[in-house]
Amino acid sequence: MSLFDKFAAARQLKEGLAHVGTDPTEVVFEALNSAAEGVVKGRRTILAGTNNYLGLTFDKDCIAAGVAALESQGTGTTGSRMANGSYAAHGALEAELADFFQCANAMVFSTGYAANLGVLTALLAKGDVVLLDADAHASLYDGCRMSGADIFRFRHNDVKSLERRLERLKDRASRCLIVVEGMYSVLGDCAPLAEFVALKERFGARLLVDEAHSVGVYGEHGRGVAEALGVLDKVDFIVGTFSKSLGAMGGFCASRHDVLGLFRYVSRPFMFTASPSPAVMATTREALNQLRTRPQLRETLWVNANRLYNGLQKLGFELGPEISPVVAVRCKDRETALAQWNQLLEAGIYVNMMLPPATPAGASFLRCSISAAHTPEQITTIIQKFKEL
Ligand SMILES: Cc1ncc(COP(=O)(O)O)c(C=O)c1O
């Protein structure tokens, strides 16, 4: 036995990915022409798998804000906020996020992944209980596991299944955190948050919602699925990322509970990593400003999402259960998915290859994520290329 033996499965996986053409894990964007188009293998390629929902990565004001911060404050913070101090922009962004989510407290992390680890490990300890949606993102699962709390999964988006789990907890329900997402990233379906809020109130539990894919996408003001379903003020902890609709990097938690302010003293993924750089803070702040002041971005996003979903549905593809900016096409099997993914790439369309075990029900999907930056012609081309599969 050697330390390296455990990589046999990864080696086999890697070899299996490359045998039909390009390995989806090794795609290189040789150039970026816009938020919606890049160059892959020397070919102009429509980017339909970026999570760049509002297309802000190429927004000129976001870029200008980042450049100004680079020039005035340098390339990095070179340390953590606990040990090396905060920059004014960290606190300013936290105040803006608290205001945006209409709650008293917010906290910034270096990535969305770190936000989930940081919040869950601060909030939960041995003896506490987590009820986790079965399709929750790996970062939520990892954070729960690292916390030492007892983890029980309930069926994805299933109110009855959650209710049964809560009933079984009896007195322990008051030490329970329910962990779900707003919009789920693989199929683009949304959690029934109003029902989940009613349950957590009935049993005296708390609720954390990861709105990584829903901020900037759902809700009258783009605050996410909790806003869209009218329960924003009832959710205990909202977590999210700056790496999707805000087009930058970093993560956050917003909460109406002032205990969030104490997470800074106990959350290791906050304390023992460098704080986000000045340029990242500046582009994120400007992107949040754009999200707030340009609702037309969200409107265009939804027009595009509807066009793609309806177009692919008409062609007979099996799609996720609801229209959203994530349009997942279910494939017959893994081999078909890999072959079709390659065919799309050769035709100048980049989508995400989603294979088990990272997928619901062990199925394989070609996942498209649509942006406000896509033109109607680009959406038509994507549909046409799917038709040719
Ligand atoms: C639901 C969810 N939470 C958290 C994350 C992590 O965010 P980040 O990429 O900013 O680390 C992701 C990223 O894909 C996600 O989909």
Side-chain angles (χ1 to χ4, degrees):
M1 268 301 260
S2 112
L3 274 183
F4 301 161
D5 286 348
K6 63 175 86 63
F7 294 100
R11 199 178 303 282
Q12 204 185 350
L13 174 72
K14 183 172 167 38
E15 284 161 8
L17 288 175
H19 79 281
V20 272
T22 303
D23 174 346
T25 64
E26 296 205 346
V27 170
V28 176
F29 302 108
E30 291 138 18
L32 275 310
N33 300 336
S34 71
E37 189 190 287
V39 177
V40 179
K41 296 169 87 177
R43 190 185 298 119
R44 283 175 61 183
T45 300
I46 297 174
L47 304 178
T50 59
N51 304 319
N52 196 353
Y53 298 116
L54 301 182
L56 288 175
T57 51
F58 275 81
D59 179 81
K60 66 178 184 354
D61 292 330
C62 292
I63 292 172
V67 169
L70 265 172
E71 283 176 351
S72 62
Q73 295 163 60
T75 53
T77 61
T78 66
S80 81
R81 289 170 72 184
M82 283 309 261
N84 307 85
S86 293
Y87 285 35
H90 294 131
L93 178 56
E94 285 172 343
E96 286 155 10
L97 286 166
D99 181 57
F100 180 62
F101 287 103
Q102 301 183 309
C103 58
N105 310 282
M107 186 171 168
V108 163
F109 292 83
S110 300
T111 63
Y113 185 81
N116 280 338
L117 295 196
V119 170
L120 291 162
T121 55
L123 192 56
L124 297 164
K126 214 166 171 337
D128 297 330
V129 185
V130 189
L131 297 184
L132 181 66
D133 186 285
D135 286 358
H137 189 256
S139 56
L140 294 167
Y141 183 71
D142 291 353
C144 293
R145 207 166 45 162
M146 277 172 68
S147 75
D150 295 324
I151 305 169
F152 301 102
R153 294 190 180 212
F154 62 94
R155 287 165 62 100
H156 174 56
N157 276 351
D158 189 326
V159 180
K160 279 273 160 240
S161 169
L162 177 60
E163 185 179 28
R164 278 195 298 275
R165 289 267 182 224
L166 282 162
E167 275 164 0
R168 262 181 244 158
L169 288 180
K170 301 207 165 71
D171 290 352
R172 290 185 83 194
S174 62
R175 288 184 67 177
C176 168
L177 181 71
I178 300 162
V179 174
V180 300
E181 294 178 33
M183 179 183 85
Y184 282 82
S185 57
V186 178
L187 293 184
D189 51 335
C190 290
L193 290 183
E195 289 81 351
F196 287 169
V197 162
L199 278 180
K200 73 119 189 168
E201 291 190 335
R202 193 170 118 212
F203 287 89
R206 308 277 185 186
L207 175 65
L208 177 145
V209 182
D210 182 341
E211 298 265 29
H213 288 268
S214 0
V215 168
V217 174
Y218 286 86
E220 190 188 344
H221 303 92
R223 295 178 184 128
V225 175
E227 182 194 28
L229 298 178
V231 291
L232 185 61
D233 59 336
K234 303 280 192 332
V235 173
D236 296 285
F237 298 93
I238 300 219
V239 283
T241 177
F242 307 144
S243 69
K244 304 193 192 299
S245 62
L246 295 174
M249 246 197 110
F252 70 88
C253 179
S255 177
R256 61 208 170 87
H257 302 293
D258 59 10
V259 72
L260 184 67
L262 299 175
F263 284 17
R264 290 167 205 274
Y265 302 93
V266 296
S267 175
R268 296 167 70 89
F270 174 79
M271 291 155 71
F272 296 108
T273 193
S275 57
S277 74
V280 161
M281 286 294 90
T283 54
T284 304
R285 290 180 68 195
E286 180 53 31
L288 185 60
N289 177 43
Q290 303 267 336
L291 189 165
R292 299 180 90 151
T293 54
R294 295 174 63 197
Q296 64 273 27
L297 289 176
R298 212 157 38 255
E299 283 157 25
T300 309
L301 169 66
W302 278 101
V303 169
N304 287 347
N306 274 283
R307 276 177 67 99
L308 183 64
Y309 190 98
N310 293 331
L312 293 181
Q313 193 173 51
K314 262 198 214 122
L315 292 177
F317 286 104
E318 189 183 338
L319 307 177
E322 54 191 281
I323 300 179
S324 85
V326 170
V327 183
V329 177
R330 190 178 176 132
C331 300
K332 190 164 76 127
D333 52 34
R334 181 191 171 89
E335 290 307 303
T336 312
L338 273 168
Q340 294 190 329
W341 179 87
N342 263 278
Q343 197 181 326
L344 285 171
L345 191 69
E346 295 301 315
I349 311 290
Y350 172 75
V351 301
N352 307 122
M353 177 79 278
M354 307 299 275
L355 297 174
T359 49
S364 300
F365 297 94
L366 299 169
R367 172 191 183 270
C368 309
S369 68
I370 278 312
S371 170
H374 286 118
T375 61
E377 294 72 34
Q378 285 174 321
I379 306 283
T380 304
T381 306
I382 298 169
I383 296 169
Q384 178 57 33
K385 298 300 174 188
F386 265 93
K387 187 176 175 188
E388 289 166 17
L389 286 180

